[in-house]
Amino acid sequence: MYAQCLGHLDRKQDFCRVGLQFLAKTTSLHGLSNKCVENDAHLSTANLRHYLQDVIGASNHLEQSVAAPLNKYFGQVFLDPYISHFADRDGFRMLLKLQNIMPAAVEAQAIRVKITSVDGDQPCDIWLTTEVPELLQPGANQTMVHSVTMSPGWYRSERIEVHSANICFVFDAVTPTNSAFHSITTESESIHRVQEANSKLIMLWPDEEALNLRLSLCRSIHLGKPRSIEVIITNGRNEITHARLGLRACSAGLRLHTADAETDTGNCVIVDRSQSGNLYFGEFNAQSRTSVQIPYGLESGLTNIKVRAELAYVVGGMEYLYICSGELNIQLPLSVNVQDSFHERALFSNFNIGTANSIPARISDYRIQDTETLQVIMSPLTGEPLNIFARNPLSLVAKIQRRGSGPQDAYAGTFSDSVLLLQIRYTCLDQEVSTAVEDALSTSLRESKFDDLSRLLVAALSKAVRSKLSVQDFETIGLLRCIQLDRYKLYDWESVIAGLHSGRQSELRSRYWANESNGVSAHDPLDITYEIQVNPEVWLVGGQRKAHIKAKVPHV
């Protein structure tokens, strides 16, 4: 009666508030026992249906939406924790089930679901929504909610909203009273602890033909110029009309100079860089790849930097978003020490090249370019690349002399315009291992029915292999040029495939895994490395002091 009086007085805000409370109580009574309401004409199903329509209609005239707890009007709310990808576009979708316990159908203009990341220092929220209005009939209903945002990782359900007219039915999934969902206590828990605490974790990953974003350090390093990070954009099926790349420094003292950013190819051109922290691009063709180099500066001595990148791109009039974060080790992998020895006719420079982080490296080329006034003579690198280890650095000797000079003027004049630069082309062994593992698994997956899981499985295996290899393992791999992978269980595949449907989990567990083998055959040639070590105070050895040869039995 009170609610009807509010309606006649045209107090729509109070009418909606009191009317929703009345509907919540009557819905609860209907759910408990129909005998409680069979003798009350005001609580009949027909009257309640009419009353619900009046409340929803009155909410259309409100300036602000009215919030109501969803679990008092809908029961058995369940979000299927397994995602599915679209066949023709980026993004993903999930199945939402809920039971309408109200006496009439409710037209939902939008149903929204929020999921929040549980791993990483930078939390990420992603909203999923229905693409068209849904008519929620009394009883069980199910609908698909979609998202055009992708940020790989583990997530939990946090909030569900059903919007009908100007009424928002809200279900807070992390509230302790909602037993269907469980909150995460600490962010430092491992994925295993998180899965034990919350059985509704959701795993996101892009499909093979979707756009992908990756952060790394720029491969070209000039010690006299600012260093750069590299954002690698791999485009699959999308014909992108325009895009915006947003970058944010997540480490104190890190400054990203987006105004000086450059691209390595002409496939993707920067059309606007005037806005701080954002780069705007033009067209980006399908099945293409480009990298963007962004210089950075440091106000403090950091060994690791954290960067967050967001790429918003438009395909066919629809905007998509890809988010990724990464922590990069910015320590130089090589150390170079120089000792100069002055002679009458020339200058001899002895370069001692070693590893700075104990990870072996392979040097494929080194050189010092001549200048107009100076000539450099050094032994070239021939044959296979050279391996350098923490205890076995590479020693190079360069002879530097002035062009056309005699002994009397070898050091005369000025050399301010004659800058000599040592250029080293190298590859860190941990990068080689990651590339070899990723290429091998990608090739195998392309030939199987698990090609759609390539992005997920390849990234997981590469990360697991690098985390389990020690410095001694890298040295062994550098000498034998062979990677021995451990058994299935040691790489914790169960936590990786836990976000897949049970059927796909069973298929992956039952796959045949290759027998353990070190990959070395008795008929393969042996790599032999030798080094000439002398006392530098007595001998000055020019040319290569370290090299390796290949030999077979019985020629060893």
Side-chain angles (χ1 to χ4, degrees), residues 480-485 515-522 524:
L480 299 180
R481 305 301 301 166
C482 177
I483 306 171
Q484 181 175 354
L485 299 181
N515 294 327
E516 295 186 10
S517 173
N518 57 13
V520 178
S521 171
D524 294 338

Side-chain angles (χ1 to χ4, degrees), residues 143-287:
T143 183
M144 300 296 294
V145 287
H146 311 77
S147 177
V148 294
T149 301
M150 174 55 67
S151 181
W154 288 92
Y155 291 77
R156 66 164 180 247
S157 306
E158 188 169 272
R159 188 180 179 89
I160 298 176
E161 298 178 357
V162 177
H163 295 264
S164 178
N166 220 1
I167 300 175
C168 179
F169 300 96
V170 180
F171 181 80
D172 192 354
V174 296
T175 302
T177 57
N178 296 329
S179 59
F181 299 84
H182 305 277
S183 60
I184 306 303
T185 55
T186 60
E187 294 184 359
S188 61
E189 291 177 302
S190 65
I191 291 298
H192 278 301
R193 292 283 303 278
V194 170
Q195 285 178 312
E196 292 175 1
N198 189 343
S199 61
K200 302 298 181 183
L201 279 184
I202 303 162
M203 182 175 60
L204 300 188
W205 79 95
D207 68 281
E208 185 64 21
E209 287 296 319
L211 181 137
N212 192 36
L213 205 65
R214 186 165 59 90
L215 295 171
S216 67
L217 290 176
C218 187
R219 293 172 294 178
S220 178
I221 300 176
H222 193 298
L223 296 183
K225 298 180 180 179
R227 298 182 62 184
S228 301
I229 64 171
E230 191 173 44
V231 181
I232 302 174
I233 306 172
T234 305
N235 187 22
R237 55 176 166 251
N238 303 300
E239 292 289 345
I240 300 175
T241 56
H242 58 276
R244 177 190 60 84
L245 176 63
L247 296 162
R248 188 178 70 180
C250 301
S251 298
L254 174 62
R255 298 291 181 267
L256 300 176
H257 307 302
T258 53
D260 301 324
E262 297 178 351
T263 58
D264 62 344
T265 62
N267 295 331
C268 189
V269 180
I270 301 176
V271 296
D272 185 11
R273 65 186 77 198
S274 59
Q275 187 177 353
S276 177
N278 290 279
L279 299 172
Y280 294 86
F281 301 89
E283 295 182 356
F284 197 175
N285 298 328
Q287 307 300 331

Side-chain angles (χ1 to χ4, degrees), residues 365-427:
D365 191 19
Y366 56 80
R367 65 183 62 187
I368 300 178
Q369 295 289 349
D370 296 342
T371 66
E372 295 182 358
T373 56
L374 296 177
Q375 181 183 16
V376 180
I377 301 175
M378 62 188 308
S379 176
L381 176 61
T382 58
E384 295 291 331
L386 295 177
N387 295 323
I388 60 173
F389 302 92
R391 291 168 292 181
N392 293 284
L394 175 64
S395 181
L396 303 174
V397 176
K399 178 182 179 182
I400 305 172
Q401 61 185 9
R402 190 170 183 176
R403 291 181 180 274
S405 64
Q408 68 279 3
D409 59 350
Y411 307 104
T414 177
F415 301 98
S416 59
D417 297 333
S418 301
V419 179
L420 296 176
L421 298 176
L422 174 63
Q423 301 178 11
I424 304 175
R425 187 178 296 273
Y426 68 95
T427 304

Side-chain angles (χ1 to χ4, degrees), residues 5 78 102 178 207 330 457 496 525:
C5 292
F78 175 74
M102 289 184 285
N178 296 329
D207 68 281
I330 59 175
L457 300 179
V496 177

Side-chain angles (χ1 to χ4, degrees), residues 269-504:
V269 180
I270 301 176
V271 296
D272 185 11
R273 65 186 77 198
S274 59
Q275 187 177 353
S276 177
N278 290 279
L279 299 172
Y280 294 86
F281 301 89
E283 295 182 356
F284 197 175
N285 298 328
Q287 307 300 331
S288 59
R289 178 184 181 276
T290 190
S291 64
V292 185
Q293 294 86 33
I294 301 99
Y296 67 88
L298 297 174
E299 297 180 357
S300 58
L302 298 175
T303 58
N304 294 279
I305 59 175
K306 295 180 180 180
V307 181
R308 179 184 174 97
E310 299 182 359
L311 183 67
Y313 56 102
V314 177
V315 180
M318 180 177 293
E319 182 173 306
Y320 299 85
L321 181 64
Y322 193 104
I323 304 173
C324 72
S325 301
E327 183 174 0
L328 306 176
N329 188 335
I330 59 175
Q331 290 180 308
L332 290 173
L334 295 182
S335 63
V336 180
N337 296 321
V338 184
Q339 294 180 350
D340 295 327
S341 177
F342 294 89
H343 291 255
E344 181 179 4
R345 296 179 178 272
L347 168 67
F348 290 88
S349 294
N350 186 5
F351 298 92
N352 193 23
I353 305 173
T355 61
N357 54 7
S358 300
I359 301 297
R362 284 168 62 85
I363 296 180
S364 57
D365 191 19
Y366 56 80
R367 65 183 62 187
I368 300 178
Q369 295 289 349
D370 296 342
T371 66
E372 295 182 358
T373 56
L374 296 177
Q375 181 183 16
V376 180
I377 301 175
M378 62 188 308
S379 176
L381 176 61
T382 58
E384 295 291 331
L386 295 177
N387 295 323
I388 60 173
F389 302 92
R391 291 168 292 181
N392 293 284
L394 175 64
S395 181
L396 303 174
V397 176
K399 178 182 179 182
I400 305 172
Q401 61 185 9
R402 190 170 183 176
R403 291 181 180 274
S405 64
Q408 68 279 3
D409 59 350
Y411 307 104
T414 177
F415 301 98
S416 59
D417 297 333
S418 301
V419 179
L420 296 176
L421 298 176
L422 174 63
Q423 301 178 11
I424 304 175
R425 187 178 296 273
Y426 68 95
T427 304
C428 295
L429 194 57
D430 56 348
Q431 297 175 352
E432 276 195 290
V433 169
S434 297
T435 302
V437 170
E438 292 173 3
D439 291 345
L441 184 57
S442 297
T443 302
S444 299
L445 289 174
R446 279 194 296 268
E447 299 172 355
S448 69
K449 63 179 180 180
F450 302 106
D451 187 27
D452 58 320
L453 302 177
S454 178
R455 292 269 178 88
L456 172 66
L457 300 179
V458 170
L461 180 60
S462 177
K463 182 179 179 180
V465 169
R466 293 185 63 172
S467 64
K468 290 184 177 295
L469 292 178
S470 62
V471 175
Q472 291 75 16
D473 294 329
F474 279 115
E475 291 179 350
T476 303
I477 294 172
L479 289 173
L480 299 180
R481 305 301 301 166
C482 177
I483 306 171
Q484 181 175 354
L485 299 181
D486 291 325
R487 296 188 301 274
Y488 172 88
K489 293 183 178 180
L490 296 181
Y491 288 115
D492 200 13
W493 282 109
E494 292 298 322
S495 64
V496 177
I497 65 177
L500 304 176
H501 285 281
S502 58
R504 305 223 72 184

